[in-house]
Amino acid sequence: MSPRDSSAARDLADFVSASPTPYHAVAESVRRLRESGFTEQVETEDWDASPGGRFLVRDGTLLAWHVGDGARPGSPLRIFAAHTDSPTLKVKPRPDTGAAGWRQVAVEVYGGALWNSWLDRDLGLAGRLALFDGTVVPVNVDRPLLRVPQLAIHLDRQVNQGLTLDSQQHLLPIWGIGDVREGDLVEFLAAEVGIDPRQVAAHDLVVHDLTPPARLGREGELLACPRLDNLASVHAGLAALLAASRSNTGVVPVFVGFDHEEIGSGTATGAAGPLLETLLTRLAGGFDARARAFAASRCLSVDVTHAAHPNYLERHDPGHRSIPNGGPTLKVNANQRYATDAPGAAAWQRACRGAGVPTQFFVGKNTVPCGTTVGPIVATRLGIRTVDVGIPVLSMHSARELCGVDDPGHLAAAGAAFLADPS
Protein backbone atom coordinates (compact mmCIF):
# COMPACT_ATOMS: atom_id res chain seq x y z
CA MET A 1 0.00 0.00 0.00
CA SER A 2 1.36 3.43 -0.88
CA PRO A 3 1.84 6.08 1.83
CA ARG A 4 -1.03 8.53 2.08
CA ASP A 5 -0.43 12.08 0.91
CA SER A 6 -0.52 14.93 3.42
CA SER A 7 0.79 18.28 2.24
CA ALA A 8 0.02 19.81 5.64
CA ALA A 9 2.18 17.22 7.43
CA ARG A 10 5.05 17.74 4.99
CA ASP A 11 4.85 21.49 5.42
CA LEU A 12 4.68 21.09 9.22
CA ALA A 13 7.88 19.02 9.09
CA ASP A 14 9.60 21.79 7.12
CA PHE A 15 8.31 24.42 9.56
CA VAL A 16 9.55 22.51 12.61
CA SER A 17 12.96 21.90 11.05
CA ALA A 18 13.34 25.65 10.48
CA SER A 19 12.26 26.43 14.05
CA PRO A 20 14.63 25.03 16.71
CA THR A 21 13.78 27.92 19.10
CA PRO A 22 10.88 30.35 19.59
CA TYR A 23 12.94 33.07 17.88
CA HIS A 24 13.44 30.91 14.82
CA ALA A 25 9.77 29.89 14.83
CA VAL A 26 8.82 33.56 14.78
CA ALA A 27 11.31 34.30 11.99
CA GLU A 28 9.96 31.44 9.84
CA SER A 29 6.39 32.57 10.53
CA VAL A 30 7.27 36.13 9.52
CA ARG A 31 8.84 34.86 6.31
CA ARG A 32 5.60 33.09 5.44
CA LEU A 33 3.46 36.08 6.37
CA ARG A 34 5.54 38.43 4.23
CA GLU A 35 5.18 36.07 1.28
CA SER A 36 1.41 36.43 1.71
CA GLY A 37 1.54 40.22 1.72
CA PHE A 38 1.50 40.90 5.47
CA THR A 39 3.55 43.88 6.67
CA GLU A 40 5.15 44.61 10.02
CA GLN A 41 3.60 46.81 12.67
CA VAL A 42 6.53 48.09 14.75
CA GLU A 43 5.54 48.63 18.38
CA THR A 44 7.30 51.97 18.67
CA GLU A 45 5.75 53.45 15.52
CA ASP A 46 2.29 54.89 14.79
CA TRP A 47 -0.54 52.37 14.59
CA ASP A 48 -1.64 51.40 11.09
CA ALA A 49 -5.40 50.78 11.14
CA SER A 50 -5.82 50.49 7.37
CA PRO A 51 -7.16 47.27 5.81
CA GLY A 52 -4.71 44.47 5.21
CA GLY A 53 -2.52 41.95 7.01
CA ARG A 54 -0.13 43.01 9.77
CA PHE A 55 2.20 41.29 12.20
CA LEU A 56 4.03 42.36 15.35
CA VAL A 57 7.08 40.67 16.85
CA ARG A 58 8.53 40.86 20.30
CA ASP A 59 11.30 38.34 20.98
CA GLY A 60 9.81 34.84 20.79
CA THR A 61 6.19 36.01 20.53
CA LEU A 62 4.32 36.78 17.31
CA LEU A 63 0.96 38.46 16.77
CA ALA A 64 -0.64 38.68 13.33
CA TRP A 65 -4.05 39.85 12.12
CA HIS A 66 -6.00 40.79 9.04
CA VAL A 67 -8.48 43.66 8.73
CA GLY A 68 -10.76 43.09 5.77
CA ASP A 69 -12.72 45.67 3.81
CA GLY A 70 -15.87 44.67 5.68
CA ALA A 71 -14.33 45.06 9.14
CA ARG A 72 -14.28 48.20 11.23
CA PRO A 73 -13.16 49.21 14.74
CA GLY A 74 -15.31 47.24 17.15
CA SER A 75 -15.84 44.28 14.81
CA PRO A 76 -15.87 40.88 16.54
CA LEU A 77 -12.43 39.31 16.97
CA ARG A 78 -11.65 35.66 16.28
CA ILE A 79 -8.40 34.65 17.96
CA PHE A 80 -6.21 31.58 17.44
CA ALA A 81 -3.80 31.36 20.42
CA ALA A 82 -0.84 28.95 20.53
CA HIS A 83 2.70 28.98 21.91
CA THR A 84 6.13 28.93 20.28
CA ASP A 85 8.23 27.37 23.06
CA SER A 86 8.89 23.71 23.83
CA PRO A 87 10.51 21.86 26.78
CA THR A 88 14.26 21.68 26.35
CA LEU A 89 17.64 22.26 28.00
CA LYS A 90 18.71 25.91 28.18
CA VAL A 91 22.34 27.04 28.35
CA LYS A 92 23.38 28.86 31.51
CA PRO A 93 25.04 32.32 31.36
CA ARG A 94 28.46 30.84 32.12
CA PRO A 95 28.28 27.71 29.99
CA ASP A 96 31.83 26.37 30.01
CA THR A 97 32.29 23.42 32.34
CA GLY A 98 33.53 19.83 32.34
CA ALA A 99 35.49 17.14 34.16
CA ALA A 100 37.88 14.22 33.61
CA GLY A 101 39.06 15.49 30.24
CA TRP A 102 35.57 16.14 28.83
CA ARG A 103 34.39 19.61 27.87
CA GLN A 104 30.72 20.15 28.69
CA VAL A 105 28.03 22.82 28.56
CA ALA A 106 26.18 23.95 31.69
CA VAL A 107 22.42 23.76 31.16
CA GLU A 108 19.20 23.98 33.13
CA VAL A 109 15.86 22.37 32.35
CA TYR A 110 13.34 24.60 30.58
CA GLY A 111 9.75 23.56 31.21
CA GLY A 112 8.50 20.08 32.01
CA ALA A 113 10.89 18.16 29.77
CA LEU A 114 10.95 14.37 29.81
CA TRP A 115 14.61 14.21 30.80
CA ASN A 116 15.49 10.68 29.73
CA SER A 117 14.35 11.44 26.15
CA TRP A 118 17.34 13.76 25.75
CA LEU A 119 19.91 11.09 26.54
CA ASP A 120 22.26 9.73 23.86
CA ARG A 121 20.87 11.94 21.08
CA ASP A 122 22.76 14.05 18.57
CA LEU A 123 21.96 17.61 19.60
CA GLY A 124 22.39 20.99 17.98
CA LEU A 125 22.45 24.39 19.63
CA ALA A 126 20.40 27.42 18.65
CA GLY A 127 19.10 30.75 19.93
CA ARG A 128 20.33 34.32 19.86
CA LEU A 129 23.36 36.38 20.83
CA ALA A 130 22.78 39.84 22.28
CA LEU A 131 25.57 42.29 21.48
CA PHE A 132 26.82 45.29 23.43
CA ASP A 133 25.55 47.65 20.72
CA GLY A 134 21.96 46.47 21.28
CA THR A 135 21.63 44.26 18.21
CA VAL A 136 20.56 40.63 18.37
CA VAL A 137 22.08 37.95 16.13
CA PRO A 138 20.32 34.59 15.59
CA VAL A 139 22.45 31.46 15.68
CA ASN A 140 21.67 27.88 14.74
CA VAL A 141 24.24 25.09 14.84
CA ASP A 142 22.13 22.55 12.97
CA ARG A 143 24.61 19.69 13.03
CA PRO A 144 25.80 17.20 15.67
CA LEU A 145 27.51 19.23 18.38
CA LEU A 146 26.44 17.92 21.77
CA ARG A 147 25.34 14.71 23.46
CA VAL A 148 24.07 13.91 26.95
CA PRO A 149 25.67 10.51 27.64
CA GLN A 150 24.11 7.75 29.72
CA LEU A 151 26.03 5.64 32.18
CA ALA A 152 26.92 2.17 30.89
CA ILE A 153 24.69 -0.57 32.26
CA HIS A 154 27.77 -2.33 33.70
CA LEU A 155 28.12 0.58 36.16
CA ASP A 156 24.42 0.64 37.11
CA ARG A 157 22.99 -2.87 36.94
CA GLN A 158 19.59 -1.75 38.29
CA VAL A 159 18.99 1.01 35.74
CA ASN A 160 16.24 -0.90 33.94
CA GLN A 161 14.31 -1.13 37.20
CA GLY A 162 14.24 2.66 37.48
CA LEU A 163 16.33 5.48 36.05
CA THR A 164 17.02 8.38 38.42
CA LEU A 165 18.46 11.57 36.96
CA ASP A 166 19.83 14.59 38.80
CA SER A 167 19.27 17.60 36.55
CA GLN A 168 22.35 19.38 37.93
CA GLN A 169 24.70 16.43 37.49
CA HIS A 170 23.41 14.07 34.82
CA LEU A 171 22.06 16.31 32.03
CA LEU A 172 25.24 18.19 31.10
CA PRO A 173 26.01 17.66 27.39
CA ILE A 174 29.50 16.84 26.17
CA TRP A 175 30.85 18.88 23.27
CA GLY A 176 34.58 18.18 23.25
CA ILE A 177 37.68 16.96 25.04
CA GLY A 178 40.47 18.83 26.78
CA ASP A 179 40.77 21.48 29.43
CA VAL A 180 37.85 23.75 30.20
CA ARG A 181 38.40 27.39 29.23
CA GLU A 182 35.88 30.12 29.99
CA GLY A 183 34.59 31.79 26.84
CA ASP A 184 35.04 28.75 24.56
CA LEU A 185 31.36 28.27 23.69
CA VAL A 186 30.69 31.94 22.98
CA GLU A 187 33.83 32.13 20.83
CA PHE A 188 32.66 29.09 18.87
CA LEU A 189 29.18 30.51 18.31
CA ALA A 190 30.50 33.95 17.40
CA ALA A 191 32.67 32.34 14.74
CA GLU A 192 29.60 30.47 13.43
CA VAL A 193 27.80 33.75 12.71
CA GLY A 194 30.89 35.78 11.78
CA ILE A 195 31.13 38.26 14.64
CA ASP A 196 33.80 39.22 17.16
CA PRO A 197 33.15 37.27 20.40
CA ARG A 198 34.08 40.39 22.36
CA GLN A 199 30.88 41.97 21.05
CA VAL A 200 28.68 39.34 22.75
CA ALA A 201 27.16 40.57 26.00
CA ALA A 202 24.60 37.80 26.67
CA HIS A 203 22.81 34.88 25.05
CA ASP A 204 19.60 32.85 24.98
CA LEU A 205 20.51 29.34 23.78
CA VAL A 206 18.84 25.93 23.87
CA VAL A 207 19.71 22.47 22.61
CA HIS A 208 17.58 20.79 19.96
CA ASP A 209 17.22 17.27 18.64
CA LEU A 210 18.71 16.78 15.19
CA THR A 211 16.78 13.70 14.11
CA PRO A 212 14.73 14.96 11.16
CA PRO A 213 10.94 14.56 11.05
CA ALA A 214 9.85 11.26 9.54
CA ARG A 215 6.72 9.45 8.37
CA LEU A 216 6.06 6.21 10.23
CA GLY A 217 3.73 3.29 9.76
CA ARG A 218 2.72 0.88 7.03
CA GLU A 219 0.79 3.58 5.20
CA GLY A 220 2.84 6.52 6.38
CA GLU A 221 -0.03 7.44 8.68
CA LEU A 222 2.11 8.87 11.51
CA LEU A 223 4.52 11.78 11.82
CA ALA A 224 7.45 11.58 14.25
CA CYS A 225 8.78 15.04 14.94
CA PRO A 226 10.42 17.20 17.60
CA ARG A 227 8.58 20.18 19.13
CA LEU A 228 5.08 19.18 18.04
CA ASP A 229 4.20 20.73 21.39
CA ASN A 230 3.47 23.30 20.27
CA LEU A 231 4.77 24.15 16.81
CA ALA A 232 2.04 21.97 15.33
CA SER A 233 -0.45 24.54 16.60
CA VAL A 234 1.64 27.54 15.49
CA HIS A 235 1.87 26.07 12.00
CA ALA A 236 -1.87 25.40 11.87
CA GLY A 237 -2.65 28.86 13.23
CA LEU A 238 -0.68 30.58 10.49
CA ALA A 239 -2.42 28.52 7.81
CA ALA A 240 -5.79 29.25 9.43
CA LEU A 241 -5.10 33.00 9.54
CA LEU A 242 -4.06 33.13 5.89
CA ALA A 243 -7.16 31.19 4.84
CA ALA A 244 -9.49 33.31 7.00
CA SER A 245 -7.97 36.54 5.68
CA ARG A 246 -9.46 35.69 2.28
CA SER A 247 -13.00 35.22 3.59
CA ASN A 248 -13.85 38.87 4.47
CA THR A 249 -16.83 37.96 6.68
CA GLY A 250 -16.66 41.13 8.78
CA VAL A 251 -14.79 39.62 11.73
CA VAL A 252 -11.10 40.27 12.41
CA PRO A 253 -9.00 37.07 12.52
CA VAL A 254 -6.01 37.20 14.87
CA PHE A 255 -3.17 34.75 15.47
CA VAL A 256 -0.88 34.86 18.50
CA GLY A 257 2.02 32.56 19.25
CA PHE A 258 3.14 33.21 22.82
CA ASP A 259 6.53 32.40 24.27
CA HIS A 260 7.02 30.96 27.78
CA GLU A 261 3.87 28.83 28.02
CA GLU A 262 5.96 25.89 29.19
CA ILE A 263 7.11 27.85 32.25
CA GLY A 264 3.77 29.35 33.25
CA SER A 265 3.27 32.31 30.85
CA GLY A 266 4.05 34.91 33.52
CA THR A 267 6.40 37.06 31.43
CA ALA A 268 6.27 40.19 29.28
CA THR A 269 5.91 38.02 26.16
CA GLY A 270 3.78 35.29 27.73
CA ALA A 271 0.01 34.91 27.76
CA ALA A 272 -0.20 36.57 31.18
CA GLY A 273 1.61 39.64 29.83
CA PRO A 274 0.02 42.68 28.14
CA LEU A 275 0.78 42.11 24.44
CA LEU A 276 -2.45 40.47 23.31
CA GLU A 277 -4.61 42.81 25.37
CA THR A 278 -2.87 45.85 23.88
CA LEU A 279 -3.33 44.58 20.33
CA LEU A 280 -6.98 43.64 20.75
CA THR A 281 -7.76 46.96 22.42
CA ARG A 282 -6.36 48.77 19.40
CA LEU A 283 -8.26 46.56 16.98
CA ALA A 284 -11.45 47.17 18.96
CA GLY A 285 -11.09 50.95 18.60
CA GLY A 286 -9.66 51.84 22.01
CA PHE A 287 -10.24 51.11 25.67
CA ASP A 288 -13.73 52.63 25.87
CA ALA A 289 -14.94 50.62 22.86
CA ARG A 290 -13.36 47.30 23.61
CA ALA A 291 -15.95 45.92 26.06
CA ARG A 292 -18.54 45.61 23.32
CA ALA A 293 -16.07 44.07 20.88
CA PHE A 294 -14.67 41.63 23.44
CA ALA A 295 -18.19 40.47 24.35
CA ALA A 296 -18.77 39.48 20.71
CA SER A 297 -15.35 37.85 20.32
CA ARG A 298 -14.09 34.28 20.70
CA CYS A 299 -10.69 32.70 21.25
CA LEU A 300 -9.45 29.29 20.20
CA SER A 301 -6.68 28.15 22.56
CA VAL A 302 -4.72 25.53 20.63
CA ASP A 303 -2.23 23.22 22.30
CA VAL A 304 -1.53 19.55 21.74
CA THR A 305 -3.56 16.88 23.56
CA HIS A 306 -2.44 13.66 25.21
CA ALA A 307 -3.10 10.90 22.72
CA ALA A 308 -4.27 7.66 24.29
CA HIS A 309 -1.11 5.64 24.97
CA PRO A 310 -1.64 1.98 24.04
CA ASN A 311 0.85 0.79 26.67
CA TYR A 312 -0.66 2.89 29.47
CA LEU A 313 -4.40 2.94 28.81
CA GLU A 314 -5.05 2.97 32.55
CA ARG A 315 -3.85 6.61 32.59
CA HIS A 316 -6.74 7.75 30.38
CA ASP A 317 -10.48 8.20 30.85
CA PRO A 318 -12.02 5.27 28.96
CA GLY A 319 -14.81 7.37 27.47
CA HIS A 320 -12.69 10.34 26.36
CA ARG A 321 -9.57 8.96 24.71
CA SER A 322 -7.92 10.96 21.92
CA ILE A 323 -7.14 8.82 18.89
CA PRO A 324 -4.54 9.73 16.20
CA ASN A 325 -6.08 10.85 12.90
CA GLY A 326 -9.43 11.07 14.67
CA GLY A 327 -9.53 14.83 14.30
CA PRO A 328 -8.56 17.66 16.67
CA THR A 329 -9.79 17.17 20.22
CA LEU A 330 -12.07 19.43 22.19
CA LYS A 331 -10.51 19.67 25.66
CA VAL A 332 -12.79 19.90 28.68
CA ASN A 333 -12.06 20.16 32.40
CA ALA A 334 -14.59 20.80 35.16
CA ASN A 335 -12.06 22.87 37.12
CA GLN A 336 -11.32 25.08 34.10
CA ARG A 337 -7.78 23.94 33.56
CA TYR A 338 -9.13 24.13 30.03
CA ALA A 339 -11.38 27.11 29.28
CA THR A 340 -14.02 25.27 27.23
CA ASP A 341 -17.70 25.79 28.06
CA ALA A 342 -20.82 24.65 26.19
CA PRO A 343 -21.26 27.73 23.93
CA GLY A 344 -17.56 27.64 23.06
CA ALA A 345 -17.79 23.92 22.34
CA ALA A 346 -20.74 24.60 20.04
CA ALA A 347 -18.72 27.21 18.14
CA TRP A 348 -15.92 24.68 17.68
CA GLN A 349 -18.31 21.95 16.57
CA ARG A 350 -19.84 24.37 14.05
CA ALA A 351 -16.37 25.19 12.67
CA CYS A 352 -15.51 21.50 12.31
CA ARG A 353 -18.82 20.75 10.60
CA GLY A 354 -18.31 23.66 8.21
CA ALA A 355 -14.77 22.52 7.38
CA GLY A 356 -15.77 18.87 7.00
CA VAL A 357 -13.33 17.90 9.76
CA PRO A 358 -13.87 15.21 12.41
CA THR A 359 -13.45 16.12 16.07
CA GLN A 360 -13.33 14.23 19.36
CA PHE A 361 -13.40 14.93 23.10
CA PHE A 362 -10.59 14.82 25.64
CA VAL A 363 -11.23 14.76 29.38
CA GLY A 364 -8.51 13.69 31.77
CA LYS A 365 -8.99 10.70 34.03
CA ASN A 366 -10.37 11.81 37.41
CA THR A 367 -7.35 10.41 39.25
CA VAL A 368 -4.73 11.81 36.83
CA PRO A 369 -4.58 15.63 36.93
CA CYS A 370 -4.43 17.26 33.50
CA GLY A 371 -2.18 20.09 32.43
CA THR A 372 -3.35 23.53 31.34
CA THR A 373 -2.89 25.97 28.47
CA VAL A 374 -2.93 29.67 27.63
CA GLY A 375 -6.73 29.39 27.31
CA PRO A 376 -7.70 30.02 30.94
CA ILE A 377 -5.21 32.90 31.11
CA VAL A 378 -6.64 34.64 28.04
CA ALA A 379 -10.19 34.08 29.26
CA THR A 380 -9.39 35.45 32.72
CA ARG A 381 -7.43 38.48 31.50
CA LEU A 382 -9.79 39.54 28.73
CA GLY A 383 -13.19 38.05 29.50
CA ILE A 384 -13.35 36.61 25.98
CA ARG A 385 -15.11 33.27 25.54
CA THR A 386 -12.38 30.70 24.99
CA VAL A 387 -12.38 27.07 23.88
CA ASP A 388 -9.42 24.69 24.20
CA VAL A 389 -8.55 22.26 21.40
CA GLY A 390 -5.52 20.43 20.03
CA ILE A 391 -4.30 17.46 18.01
CA PRO A 392 -3.49 14.17 19.80
CA VAL A 393 0.24 13.73 20.41
CA LEU A 394 2.04 10.73 21.88
CA SER A 395 5.11 11.10 24.15
CA MET A 396 4.34 14.75 24.83
CA HIS A 397 7.27 16.76 26.29
CA SER A 398 9.86 14.31 25.02
CA ALA A 399 12.63 15.30 22.63
CA ARG A 400 10.62 13.63 19.84
CA GLU A 401 6.84 13.26 19.66
CA LEU A 402 4.31 11.44 17.47
CA CYS A 403 1.02 12.48 15.83
CA GLY A 404 -1.32 11.33 13.10
CA VAL A 405 -0.37 12.58 9.65
CA ASP A 406 -3.92 13.77 8.91
CA ASP A 407 -4.33 15.82 12.07
CA PRO A 408 -2.26 18.94 11.14
CA GLY A 409 -4.40 19.57 8.05
CA HIS A 410 -7.63 18.97 9.95
CA LEU A 411 -6.59 21.46 12.64
CA ALA A 412 -5.72 24.16 10.10
CA ALA A 413 -9.01 23.71 8.24
CA ALA A 414 -11.14 23.82 11.38
CA GLY A 415 -9.11 26.76 12.71
CA ALA A 416 -9.72 28.71 9.51
CA ALA A 417 -13.47 28.08 9.79
CA PHE A 418 -13.41 29.26 13.40
CA LEU A 419 -11.49 32.45 12.54
CA ALA A 420 -13.90 33.34 9.72
CA ASP A 421 -17.14 32.54 11.56
CA PRO A 422 -19.26 35.73 11.99
CA SER A 423 -22.08 34.08 13.96
Side-chain angles (χ1 to χ4, degrees), residues 336-411:
Q336 287 290 285
R337 298 286 286 173
Y338 306 128
T340 304
D341 62 6
W348 170 250
Q349 297 271 23
R350 183 169 61 250
C352 289
R353 185 174 62 183
V357 167
T359 188
Q360 52 189 323
F361 284 94
F362 172 83
V363 181
K365 187 178 180 181
N366 291 353
T367 55
V368 181
C370 69
T372 189
T373 69
V374 301
I377 298 173
V378 172
T380 301
R381 278 191 59 90
L382 304 178
I384 292 176
R385 189 182 304 282
T386 301
V387 55
D388 269 291
V389 304
I391 64 170
V393 167
L394 200 64
S395 300
M396 191 189 300
H397 282 206
S398 72
R400 192 168 175 82
E401 300 161 322
L402 192 67
C403 74
V405 74
D406 297 335
D407 287 330
H410 285 158
L411 179 59

Side-chain angles (χ1 to χ4, degrees), residues 19-350:
S19 307
T21 75
Y23 318 115
H24 291 81
V26 168
E28 174 63 14
S29 300
V30 165
R31 184 189 70 79
R32 293 172 177 231
L33 289 169
R34 287 192 188 277
E35 284 186 350
S36 296
F38 281 60
T39 58
E40 184 172 9
Q41 171 67 61
V42 179
E43 282 192 272
T44 55
E45 296 180 358
D46 291 340
W47 181 255
D48 186 350
S50 61
R54 307 279 184 273
F55 64 86
L56 184 152
V57 172
R58 188 191 290 184
D59 300 325
T61 291
L62 169 71
L63 302 101
W65 61 97
H66 186 273
V67 178
D69 294 333
R72 62 188 187 281
S75 291
L77 305 161
R78 298 290 182 263
I79 305 150
F80 188 117
H83 68 87
T84 60
D85 61 323
S86 304
T88 184
L89 304 176
K90 184 173 182 180
V91 178
K92 293 182 177 180
R94 296 181 63 188
D96 298 292
T97 188
W102 301 99
R103 295 161 66 194
Q104 295 174 275
V105 176
V107 297
E108 59 180 325
V109 177
Y110 177 89
L114 195 61
W115 297 352
N116 67 292
S117 69
W118 291 92
L119 303 179
D120 291 332
R121 285 184 174 273
D122 293 340
L123 303 173
L125 192 64
R128 60 182 183 175
L129 305 176
L131 310 187
F132 280 103
D133 64 6
T135 59
V136 175
V137 179
V139 60
N140 181 14
V141 183
D142 197 30
R143 63 180 186 274
L145 180 68
L146 310 111
R147 176 173 281 246
V148 182
Q150 291 199 75
L151 184 65
I153 193 171
H154 314 81
L155 303 179
D156 185 4
R157 296 287 184 177
Q158 302 303 311
V159 65
N160 289 327
Q161 279 66 57
L163 175 64
T164 300
L165 296 172
D166 182 314
S167 59
Q168 178 69 24
Q169 181 179 354
H170 299 142
L171 297 182
L172 301 185
I174 287 172
W175 78 298
I177 57 175
D179 296 331
V180 176
R181 184 175 67 85
E182 188 162 353
D184 266 359
L185 185 65
V186 168
E187 288 182 11
F188 167 77
L189 294 173
E192 286 287 307
V193 294
I195 61 174
D196 185 339
R198 293 171 296 183
Q199 299 177 22
V200 179
H203 53 75
D204 289 311
L205 302 166
V206 298
V207 305
H208 61 279
D209 175 43
L210 291 174
T211 309
R215 297 279 289 273
L216 272 65
R218 180 181 177 182
E219 298 181 54
E221 67 267 36
L222 298 170
L223 175 66
C225 194
R227 300 181 295 281
L228 287 175
D229 182 10
N230 191 27
L231 293 185
S233 302
V234 174
H235 175 264
L238 289 171
L241 174 64
L242 294 177
S245 69
R246 296 188 288 269
S247 64
N248 200 25
T249 58
V251 298
V252 178
V254 178
F255 167 77
V256 55
F258 291 110
D259 200 355
H260 301 140
E261 189 274 347
E262 298 292 354
I263 55 172
S265 297
T267 68
T269 52
L275 277 177
L276 181 61
E277 181 178 9
T278 299
L279 169 65
L280 299 184
T281 299
R282 283 176 154 172
L283 290 175
F287 187 85
D288 292 338
R290 75 177 192 173
R292 182 175 180 179
F294 284 13
S297 299
R298 286 194 296 270
C299 176
L300 194 66
S301 167
V302 191
D303 205 341
V304 297
T305 307
H306 289 288
H309 198 302
N311 298 341
Y312 301 90
L313 285 178
E314 73 280 1
R315 299 297 180 118
H316 303 277
D317 184 279
H320 298 88
R321 293 171 179 167
S322 296
I323 308 302
N325 288 332
T329 56
L330 182 63
K331 300 157 74 171
V332 178
N333 179 257
N335 296 308
Q336 287 290 285
R337 298 286 286 173
Y338 306 128
T340 304
D341 62 6
W348 170 250
Q349 297 271 23
R350 183 169 61 250

